[in-house]
Amino acid sequence: MDLNRFEISRRTALLTSAAIAANVANPLRAFAQETPRKGGVFNVHYGAEQRQLNPSLQASTGVYIIGGKIQENLVDLDAAGKPVGVLAESWDASPDGKTITFKLRKGITWHDGKPFTSADVEFTAMQMWKKILNYGSTLQLFLTAVDTPDPQTAIFRYERPMPLNLLLRALPDLGYVSPKHLYESGGDIRQNPNNLAPIGTGPFKFVKYERGQYIIADRNPDYWRPNAPYLDRIVWKVITDRAAAAAQMEAGELHYSPFSGLTISDMARLSKDKRFIVSTKGNEGNARTNTIEFNFRRKELSDIRVRRAIAHAINVPFFIYNFLGDFARLGTGPIPSTSTDFYPGANTPQYPYDKAKATALLDEAGFKPGAGGQRFSIRLLPAPWGEDISLWSTFVQQSLSEVGIPVDIVRNDGGGFLKQVYDEHAFDLATGWHQYRNDPAVSTTVWYRSGQPKGAPWTNQWGWEDAKVDKTIDDAATEIDPAKRKALYAEFVTEVNTELPVWMPIEQLFVSVLSAKARNHSNTPRWGSASWYDLWLSA
Amino acid sequence: MRILSLAGRRLAASIPTLVLILIGVFLLLQLAPGDTVDAMMAQMGGGDAATARELRHFYGLDLSIPLQLANYLWRLVRLDLGFSSIYGKPVATVILERLPPTLLLMTASLSFAFFFGLLFGVFAARRVNKWPDTLISTLGLVFYATPSFWFGLMAIVVFSIYLQWLPPGGFEDIGNVHTGLSRMLDIAGHLVLPTLTLGLIFLAIYLRIMRASMLEVLNLDFVRTARAKGLDETHVITRHVLRNALLPMVTLIGLQAGTMLGGSVVVESVFSLPGLGRLAYESVVQRDLNTLLGIVFVSALLVIAVNFIVDLLYARLDPRISAEG
């Protein structure tokens, strides 16, 4: 904990660029070397293929890493994490929050030469974001129409107030635009061939998708930003084996492995190699939190003392220090500290490691140790997304056995995990990731809001209900005053940390492994998903 | 004619096996919790229940299991392998795209393992209990005991990262478009390490079998007779011993064609080859039943074909076999 390895790797990165500069005797030449260089092929590690490359239809990093270079969003985040226009030039909300007007950029064309207009925005918003896009259908639930008085204006009309800040923080992920003329012809939008051969307005044009091997996109010579992009080509190589990907990185066949795509040990090893930059920078917009989810249908777990005892029984700092290295830190609740707009601070109820308190709480709840010191046993379902979840579940198992709760770990693959936890509710504890997406209303409150339909993944499937929390969530989702919204979310965090339906004790950012040759990288909070129009490779 | 009738009977006998395998796999996969829509939701990172319901209807997953199975078998009778939900293409197309790397890899590994297994086996048997035999047998044991993913990764570390002789993965060079002969050479270069990785374990098996059966045949009466006739040793080995000692080797090829498809999952993952093995793994994880059944169907056909060829070879090597049939 005291030693911060990603700080070190950032330092290493600086030292590396300093070393490159120092290698060149003439300082002027060193300066010249840092002017952006045109050309080059950027090779990206692609760990799991998707069924879909169109980010207007599927919101996930696996899609953005490719589709986000080809298609563009209305708004993206700048280096400071503030919304900045991409296809939209400016925006304005009416005082009642029910009308939001976007002025679109002029002179942009799709890769097939057709002009980009507000009709594309209208079609994408109504047919894709509102109907198909995951998270989008929740965000745009109250969107009634998009008016297009002229080709450069799109007016979003909402039935209930839509906080402008919420929309602007959601649009970087949920605001990619698709060409109307290629989708409107009827037929199932999900099955449109362009979903696997996307046409966009972005800096790179789709060239080829060879299933199981690679995806190629080339420079768009007609891109609207002057002098961009720098790269000639991006190649995404499909490599499912993490160790094999690390080897390819070392062999120089890859320039970038995003979203913690390598094993923790390989990332730690490569961080000591000058040829690579291993860092969490550029992933601030993809914070994730390790969870313990309690099933309230289980009598013991519906007792708040038991949930608190379980939280107190786990030595989280010890786990982070010994297993996650410095890629993680202590979490304080559902809104991570990277969320500068909403983080309420750490003075909400916390559950530091205290074994004596844990046993006392369990005793008090009436679950006294029986034969062999055991109180009651539970089933723990870890999600299969990452190495850290697997380690974490084993650690939870060991910690709980020390306070007399034997844990049976039941492992599943992705489909199996979702089915058992979210559809069949066949778990006592579940552990996984909560991914925070810039605004609690987009990604987080749905984990706590009661009344979620059976089978909907990443929602409140714990059987927990709290009218007060539900009201706070609903109020915050339509509150248009940013200060009041922030206060409501602080209240929300205090309430859920007190009641503890889900405990989120570890905060992590994804780790990127990059070639030291990359320039202008990691310069936005969602850089892995960004369009890379300014990325270049030094010689 | 005899060989043909043998062949015909063999093929007819394999059809019920094929159907049983397909039904078995279909039912086995029903035991795995979750379906293709759950897997899709996991990939998307969330979605609502209405979307899930719509998708289930789209893929026909809202039907009962016997009905789904009946639909599948009926389609199969019409030689339609169905539609892949991962790839959004007909399963037959997906499999055809993935077949060449696996076939190349299997053929190359089998040939490599067979040829060198035979060579080393004969060599070891000729110098039994002397140091060459000990050396070869020990190496064989090491190859046999080492997991192939470890072999693969070590090969990448040594030959790709340190020596930079061979590419660390992929099926062909993406950066430069090769055509004709240069493309063949490029693919061959990419296949060297995977072939060695997949082949070594089989080489170890062939080596041991060849050595044992050589030793056995060398002690038989007809060899003594041949030697007594005054034939020179090379002649005895090539004409009399080898032909008889080859029978168990050929049997093994037939048996191992299936094993090799299984082993190729690991090798294809380590070397990022776009083959059938990895496709099978992906379709299990993504619960893409149609693709998985298609792969089982095609692999079963492959194994049947290999065994069929083995049977023919058998008859050629030992005429008694076809005569008895």
Side-chain angles (χ1 to χ4, degrees), chain B residues 44-115:
Chain B
M44 294 198 299
D48 55 274
T51 317
R53 227 181 1 261
E54 225 171 273
L55 285 169
R56 283 211 170 83
H57 179 71
F58 182 81
Y59 291 117
L61 293 168
D62 45 358
L63 301 174
S64 70
I65 289 168
L67 206 59
Q68 286 184 44
L69 179 61
N71 274 347
Y72 184 78
L73 290 177
W74 173 234
R75 275 206 311 269
L76 203 63
V77 170
R78 291 172 294 159
L79 290 178
D80 174 7
L81 289 179
F83 207 73
S84 156
S85 61
I86 330 177
Y87 295 118
K89 288 194 236 185
V91 169
T93 318
V94 177
I95 290 179
L96 270 182
E97 283 170 2
R98 293 297 189 95
L99 202 54
T102 302
L103 277 185
L104 267 178
L105 182 64
M106 273 178 66
T107 322
S109 306
L110 261 183
S111 322
F112 161 76
F114 189 82
F115 181 74

Side-chain angles (χ1 to χ4, degrees), chain A residues 1-6 264 268 280 288-291 314-333 337 350-353 388-389 391-396 399 503-509:
Chain A
M1 281 300 288
D2 42 1
L3 186 127
N4 201 328
R5 196 179 298 148
F6 40 85
I264 296 176
T280 56
R288 63 179 205 256
T289 323
N290 289 76
T291 60
I314 303 166
N315 189 346
V316 182
F318 177 89
F319 174 75
I320 295 175
Y321 183 75
N322 289 288
F323 293 92
L324 302 181
D326 301 293
F327 297 126
R329 60 172 138 178
L330 201 61
T332 54
S337 61
Q350 299 296 322
Y351 301 88
Y353 177 58
D388 57 326
I389 299 176
L391 294 169
W392 172 239
S393 63
T394 316
F395 188 74
V396 169
S399 306
W503 180 222
M504 302 195 182
I506 304 171
E507 249 179 66
Q508 297 196 61
L509 291 179

